[in-house]
Amino acid sequence: MLDLAAASATKAEIYEEIADRLYRLVEGRDPIANTANAAALIWQLLPDLNWAGFYLAKGGELVLGPFQGKPASPQIAIGRGVCGAAALWRRTVLVPDVNNFPGHISCDAASWSELAVPLLRGDSVVGVMDLDSASPARFDDRDRHGCEILAEILVAGTDF
Ligand code: SME
């Protein structure tokens, strides 16, 4: 198993490790159980986060699901904020500076950068995975790629 405490672990190695552990965790197919474990895993293994969690599509909006970090908006309309944009556009939204994202919803004043990845089942958005960091431009294309793979593993193993 990768020694993630080693400062030399690359992003690719860290995402590989998270993906491997997530595969093994999503044996049951319950959405709350699986997103709760995914949030805990990401929070534990990805450095420099101040929020990691999920919004789940329900009744035409996004409803707060399992997460780690400070309390957050209970509902987000599709199209609103970073998470709503990811759901509307059905693609990952990477925001280096949230102050420059029109309509950004601030749940923690410390947040500076954000990555929102839609959970896609075919053409439908079943939820959004959201990561925040207090560091500017914390997320890059390696994070986008790594998190999109995590989202695929989660959707494949869950009855959303
Ligand atoms: N910033 C998000 C809201 C969720 S919190 O960051 C946890 C947004 O603009 O959609």
Side-chain angles (χ1 to χ4, degrees), residues 23-90:
Y23 255 124
R24 285 181 274 130
L25 276 171
V26 295
E27 276 188 5
R29 300 195 58 89
D30 183 79
I32 297 299
N34 286 354
T35 52
N37 267 335
L41 195 60
I42 291 166
W43 182 255
Q44 185 195 356
L45 297 183
L46 264 191
D48 197 15
L49 302 180
N50 68 336
W51 203 89
F54 293 87
Y55 280 88
L56 302 176
K58 227 179 252 181
E61 62 180 359
L62 297 173
V63 177
L64 184 62
F67 68 94
Q68 305 275 320
K70 288 192 178 171
S73 284
Q75 286 104 14
I76 296 178
I78 305 293
R80 259 200 81 218
V82 181
C83 293
L88 180 68
W89 300 336
R90 292 189 211 141

Side-chain angles (χ1 to χ4, degrees), residues 67-137:
F67 68 94
Q68 305 275 320
K70 288 192 178 171
S73 284
Q75 286 104 14
I76 296 178
I78 305 293
R80 259 200 81 218
V82 181
C83 293
L88 180 68
W89 300 336
R90 292 189 211 141
R91 63 170 174 78
T92 299
V93 180
L94 197 163
V95 184
D97 180 350
V98 293
N99 297 306
N100 292 333
F101 189 93
H104 166 257
I105 301 160
S106 175
C107 297
D108 181 343
S111 291
W112 197 320
S113 52
E114 181 161 355
L115 181 70
V117 181
L119 304 180
L120 297 169
R121 165 148 280 155
D123 278 346
S124 311
V125 176
V126 296
V128 173
M129 179 168 108
D130 187 38
L131 306 182
D132 286 19
S133 173
S135 299

Side-chain angles (χ1 to χ4, degrees), residues 132-149:
D132 286 19
S133 173
S135 299
R138 153 70 179 80
F139 306 102
D140 59 20
D141 277 335
R142 291 169 296 176
D143 296 286
R144 178 202 302 266
H145 179 67
C147 287
E148 285 175 351
I149 290 173

